[in-house]
Amino acid sequence: MQGGMSVAHTAGRLLLILLLTEAGKTLGSAHSLCLDLTIKSQSKSGQPWCQVQGSVDTKPFLQYDSDRNKVKPLGFLGKEVNDTKVWTELSQTLAEAGKELKMVLPFIKLDKKEMRGPPTLQVKMCCQCEAEQCSGASLHFSLNGRTALLLDTMSITWTVIDPGATGIKEEWENNQELAKYFRKISTGDCSYWLREFLKHWENILLPEPTEPLIMAPDISQSASIRLVACIILLIITQLVLIASSS
């Protein structure tokens, strides 16, 4: 009986260690890349119509504007990778994405009371990687600084906050090429860039958990499910140990 209890306790401890390790991975291994694009339908002379700021785990690493058509590295992170092939690919994509988003501006229909000159569209494109896999991707649309739409590009789920932005949603649904283009960037290219950048930054990035991304509901559901599963298994293990000792 004692031998059986000893085996059960040993197995329980080993399983507990594994569960805690997995829970730690779930909570602390996620990294994010966000690109904040600001698009203006009209701009004054000498002012860019498109500006972008990029960050990894909320740390800024690049700036871009349409006038210079050049990406400027920021901080240690940007300087570490600004001569890489991935940096060049990202620079080209930012210029193309800005032009595509500018074409969406005519479909914005704001209330006349809210109109204070030409509308400005802000798009926050984020992706999240866990264990070198894309675990979340989204587009967060704002009009004149106010949140308007959320798009989970993993499941193509829309959350409409401002009715004036429904024109963007309709254009996205009618223009399959546009939808396919941005889904590829947010779920494919973005996570690829992030993985490549992290190879260079593993000695620079601090081991801090990434802040939650502003995404459509349930975007990080997979991580939550794994954590809940770990907790359930932990409870079962404790019950087995109690039953074995009684």
Side-chain angles (χ1 to χ4, degrees):
M1 178 67 177
Q2 290 182 349
M5 288 174 60
S6 177
V7 171
H9 278 280
T10 301
R13 290 194 188 98
L14 289 173
L15 182 55
L16 177 59
I17 292 171
L18 289 173
L19 291 174
L20 292 176
T21 301
E22 179 61 27
K25 289 180 180 178
T26 300
L27 291 173
S29 65
H31 294 283
S32 63
L33 168 60
C34 288
L35 299 169
D36 292 275
L37 299 94
T38 300
I39 313 294
K40 298 179 179 179
S41 56
Q42 298 177 19
S43 59
K44 296 180 181 179
S45 177
Q47 293 184 353
W49 57 266
C50 174
Q51 292 177 296
V52 184
Q53 179 166 298
S55 60
V56 169
D57 293 346
T58 71
K59 300 175 180 68
F61 76 103
L62 71 79
Q63 280 184 339
Y64 166 85
D65 71 64
S66 54
D67 278 2
R68 298 177 183 177
N69 194 28
K70 187 176 181 180
V71 177
K72 175 185 176 182
L74 298 177
F76 291 108
L77 307 181
K79 293 175 182 177
E80 183 73 17
V81 296
N82 70 331
D83 291 326
T84 63
K85 180 182 178 182
V86 178
W87 183 270
T88 303
E89 292 176 359
L90 175 56
S91 303
Q92 294 172 347
T93 302
L94 289 178
E96 295 170 358
K99 293 176 182 177
E100 292 289 343
L101 288 172
K102 190 176 183 181
M103 296 175 65
V104 176
L105 283 171
F107 297 95
I108 298 174
K109 298 177 182 178
L110 295 177
D111 190 283
K112 291 183 179 180
K113 296 180 181 179
E114 300 177 2
M115 289 294 289
R116 296 177 182 176
T120 297
L121 174 65
Q122 293 98 16
V123 180
K124 187 182 188 75
M125 179 168 61
C126 290
C127 64
Q128 182 170 289
C129 282
E130 240 180 310
E132 298 189 354
Q133 301 256 339
C134 181
S135 58
S138 72
L139 292 173
H140 174 192
F141 298 85
S142 297
L143 299 175
N144 296 338
R146 295 173 57 183
T147 300
L149 286 170
L150 294 175
L151 171 61
D152 178 347
T153 51
M154 298 282 282
S155 62
I156 314 297
T157 302
W158 289 92
T159 302
V160 178
I161 298 171
D162 186 341
T166 53
I168 298 177
K169 177 176 177 290
E170 291 170 359
E171 173 63 12
W172 227 265
E173 292 171 340
N174 295 331
N175 189 336
Q176 292 299 313
E177 288 298 318
L178 180 68
K180 184 178 179 181
Y181 174 72
F182 278 96
R183 188 170 194 276
K184 175 182 177 294
I185 294 177
S186 60
T187 61
D189 296 341
C190 182
S191 58
Y192 165 70
W193 297 330
L194 178 57
R195 290 194 302 269
E196 290 298 308
F197 289 155
L198 288 175
K199 291 177 183 177
H200 294 270
W201 297 340
E202 56 186 4
N203 295 325
I204 299 176
L205 290 174
L206 297 174
E208 299 173 351
T210 183
E211 292 186 6
L213 301 181
I214 302 176
M215 292 185 170
D218 300 329
I219 192 82
S220 58
Q221 188 178 17
S222 59
S224 301
I225 290 174
R226 287 200 299 274
L227 182 57
V228 171
C230 287
I231 295 172
I232 292 173
L233 285 173
L234 180 58
I235 294 172
I236 293 174
T237 302
Q238 293 301 313
L239 292 174
V240 170
L241 291 176
I242 293 171
S244 300
S245 60
S246 60

